[in-house]
Amino acid sequence: MKKILGIISMALVLVLVTGCSLIPGQKTNANGNVLEKPAKGNCNVFECIKKINLTDDLDKVTKVMGFEGNLLNEGSTYKTYKWVINHDKNEAVQVAFNANSTVISITFSDEDIKNPKVDFSKYEEIKTALNNKEKLTYTDIKTKFKADGTLIEKSTLSTRYRWVNENGRYINATFSNSTGACTMIMGRI
């Protein structure tokens, strides 16, 4: 019995001194205080938005997420739910079920998707092309920005991606699902 108590005491001291945690994914400081709560659910926001289909109902979305979402809004023809995956990082997935469409979006920190490869030097060229009614697809935009965008919203009508460069500047581009063409581009560069 003394041996078991000694082992448990040593393990506790090791956890407190090194900042290690007995809970996978949980970070602590040298005093053992929790710095960041572990994410919950079956996927992170970037994986979840890809796994949820626009035709999924609430039960299917809940199964993908791994836990029940909170009802945010409800009207006669819609319901909006939110699944908070990580409170500390403000990461969440939101799904709006409407009578004729569904909108799936995510919230996250731009720090998580900063990419030193992202280059906005062709932004004015893109803006001019769109103003001249030229059809630019996701592939065209990602080629001009020299990197893949991050999927941040999808709906029955459109899909939106976000690019963030190493300085934290960003651009969101929305693409029509029916034509594949960029319909809107905006950001802070």
Side-chain angles (χ1 to χ4, degrees), residues 73-80 96-101:
N73 295 309
E74 183 175 11
S76 60
T77 60
Y78 72 92
K79 285 186 180 184
T80 304
F97 298 99
N98 297 307
N100 299 321
S101 66

Side-chain angles (χ1 to χ4, degrees), residues 19-126:
C20 295
S21 173
L22 297 175
I23 301 172
Q26 191 173 58
K27 297 176 185 176
T28 59
N29 64 15
N31 297 325
N33 298 325
V34 175
L35 297 176
E36 183 179 302
K37 294 177 184 166
K40 74 185 216 184
N42 293 334
C43 47
N44 66 43
V45 291
F46 307 108
E47 296 165 340
C48 289
I49 194 167
K50 292 176 184 174
K51 290 181 178 182
I52 300 168
N53 295 311
L54 292 169
T55 56
D56 289 350
D57 62 11
L58 179 59
D59 290 336
K60 285 184 183 177
V61 174
T62 299
K63 194 174 278 188
V64 169
M65 297 303 298
F67 63 101
E68 290 187 19
N70 296 319
L71 179 63
L72 292 182
N73 295 309
E74 183 175 11
S76 60
T77 60
Y78 72 92
K79 285 186 180 184
T80 304
Y81 291 86
K82 185 174 186 177
W83 288 261
V84 177
I85 294 175
N86 189 324
H87 283 285
D88 294 341
K89 293 178 85 177
N90 193 31
E91 292 179 347
V93 174
Q94 189 167 307
V95 180
F97 298 99
N98 297 307
N100 299 321
S101 66
T102 299
V103 178
I104 304 162
S105 60
I106 60 174
T107 55
F108 55 92
S109 169
D110 279 348
E111 288 293 319
D112 293 336
I113 63 168
K114 271 187 178 180
N115 184 344
K117 293 179 183 177
V118 171
D119 177 3
F120 294 137
S121 63
K122 303 267 186 185
Y123 174 72
E124 288 302 321
E125 183 181 313
I126 293 168

Side-chain angles (χ1 to χ4, degrees), residues 125-134 136 182 184-185:
E125 183 181 313
I126 293 168
K127 199 167 121 181
T128 300
L130 292 174
N131 286 339
N132 291 332
K133 307 289 187 220
E134 291 179 39
L136 295 177
C182 182
M184 184 175 70
I185 192 164

